[in-house]
Each structure stands twice: as structure tokens, then as C-alpha cells.
Amino acid sequence: MQVISEEEARAVEWTGQVYADAPTVSVSTYIDAPVEDVWALVSDIHLMPRLSSELQEVEWLDGATAPQPGSRFVGRSTHPELGDWETISTVVDCAAPRCFSWAVGDPGRPSSVWRFTLVRQDSGTVLEQWAQMGPAPSGLTFAIDAMPEKEQKIVFVRLREFEAGMKANLAALKDLAEQEK
């Protein structure tokens, strides 16, 4: 896992959580663009690999072409410490222009859940990205199984990575939406 600076360590506070706690992290920002414009960006799964350092490629499955509850897509990701992997995600909530959420793996017992929430505020949008680890096993559980005495630290570091990635996503989405305004 990567080493983080003191400044980064202040963002997500140490809670001592373990994977079985299904820990969560979220970030939000105000975007000076209409909620419908922001929705068009966050609901476009093909945009996400351009914004993410881990997610490399996505593809709709089963003939789907847009998000709706039950739609599935494959995601191909890479991480310097965790390697390359592929997951199948299922859209679990899609209420334009308010919420877009997907579960990785089995939607009834996912390895993670990701969500964008949009709230109209004046002429702009408050955009939140939220993620939950677990409860089902994921690639991270292999590291935990190999070093159970370091589980809390492994979970903390991965939450920090999620948070850093989400901050970068929201900054890029903000730039795109405000440029298009």
C-alpha cells in the first residue's frame, strides 16, 4: 500500500475499522452548473476511466446502453500494489438527476458499493461521491488474510486511496461541467 502524507492522513480520520464493518467514505463539492448537466457526466460510465487512476475501461453488458436498475457493466482496473482485475457491477439505483449507484459483484452482497448523489442548490449542484467497502470479499481481503494483524491499517490506507481518487473525480467533473456551462 502507498504511504500517505500527514496532510492526507488528516482527511479520513483513523477509526480502527475492520473490513467486516463495511466502512464508508464520501467527498462532495459544489459545481456551478445545472444538476441536469452534472447528471449527464456522472451517469456516463464511459467517462469514468478518463477520470480514474485505477479504472481503466468499462463496457455495458447484456445489451445495456445506459444506466437503469439492473443494468450491468464490466470494469477493468489496475493498482500498483493490487495488480489488475476485472469486476462486474450492477446498477442498484438510478434516479435521474438525483442518484446513480452500483454494486460491485453480487448486488445482494457486494464487494463494494459506489454512489453519486446530486442535489440542486441555487443554479448549481452539490455532488457527492460515496463508497462502501464490503461486506463481501474483494481483492483487499487477500492482503488482510496475509497480514491479519495489520487489517485496520490496510482498511484505513485503502479508504484514503478511495478518498483521494474521489476528490480527483469530483474536481475533474467540476471542471468539465463548469466548462460546458
Side-chain angles (χ1 to χ4, degrees), residues 23 39 50 53-54 72 76 102 105 107 115 124 129 150 164:
W39 171 260
R50 286 184 25 211
S53 62
E54 282 188 25
R72 296 179 335 127
R76 294 176 187 91
W102 62 96
R115 179 179 67 224
Q129 187 174 13
K150 295 183 179 181

Side-chain angles (χ1 to χ4, degrees), residues 45-73:
I45 67 165
H46 297 288
L47 175 63
M48 293 306 127
R50 286 184 25 211
L51 308 181
S52 172
S53 62
E54 282 188 25
L55 182 62
Q56 303 298 299
E57 182 181 4
V58 293
E59 180 182 339
W60 285 113
L61 298 173
D62 312 318
T65 59
Q68 61 183 351
S71 296
R72 296 179 335 127
F73 60 93

Side-chain angles (χ1 to χ4, degrees), residues 1-25:
M1 296 279 130
Q2 77 182 43
V3 177
I4 58 176
S5 70
E6 284 184 20
E7 179 181 83
E8 291 174 317
R10 284 191 287 267
V12 168
E13 293 184 25
W14 176 265
T15 61
Q17 290 184 301
V18 295
Y19 193 84
D21 294 334
T24 65
V25 62

Side-chain angles (χ1 to χ4, degrees), residues 81-94:
E81 302 295 325
L82 302 172
D84 299 336
W85 68 95
E86 183 175 291
T87 59
I88 304 292
S89 294
T90 303
V91 175
V92 293
D93 191 3
C94 185

Side-chain angles (χ1 to χ4, degrees), residues 106-119:
D106 177 357
R109 187 168 158 73
S111 60
S112 63
V113 179
W114 294 82
R115 179 179 67 224
F116 285 107
T117 305
L118 299 82
V119 176

Side-chain angles (χ1 to χ4, degrees), residues 35-170:
V35 70
E36 294 80 8
D37 293 354
V38 179
W39 171 260
L41 296 170
V42 301
S43 63
D44 178 2
I45 67 165
H46 297 288
L47 175 63
M48 293 306 127
R50 286 184 25 211
L51 308 181
S52 172
S53 62
E54 282 188 25
L55 182 62
Q56 303 298 299
E57 182 181 4
V58 293
E59 180 182 339
W60 285 113
L61 298 173
D62 312 318
T65 59
Q68 61 183 351
S71 296
R72 296 179 335 127
F73 60 93
V74 62
R76 294 176 187 91
S77 300
T78 190
H79 185 281
E81 302 295 325
L82 302 172
D84 299 336
W85 68 95
E86 183 175 291
T87 59
I88 304 292
S89 294
T90 303
V91 175
V92 293
D93 191 3
C94 185
R98 297 183 324 270
C99 183
F100 175 42
S101 178
W102 62 96
V104 179
D106 177 357
R109 187 168 158 73
S111 60
S112 63
V113 179
W114 294 82
R115 179 179 67 224
F116 285 107
T117 305
L118 299 82
V119 176
R120 188 180 315 271
Q121 182 176 322
D122 302 320
S123 63
T125 305
V126 174
L127 176 63
E128 176 192 42
Q129 187 174 13
W130 173 93
Q132 172 187 297
M133 287 182 184
S138 70
L140 192 64
T141 55
F142 295 113
I144 292 167
D145 290 346
M147 300 175 282
E149 72 284 358
K150 295 183 179 181
E151 179 176 9
Q152 292 174 332
K153 183 176 181 179
I154 291 168
V155 167
F156 175 74
V157 169
R158 190 63 173 143
L159 283 174
R160 289 290 303 119
E161 289 178 341
F162 278 12
E163 182 183 49
M166 291 166 28
K167 284 180 178 179
N169 289 346
L170 294 192

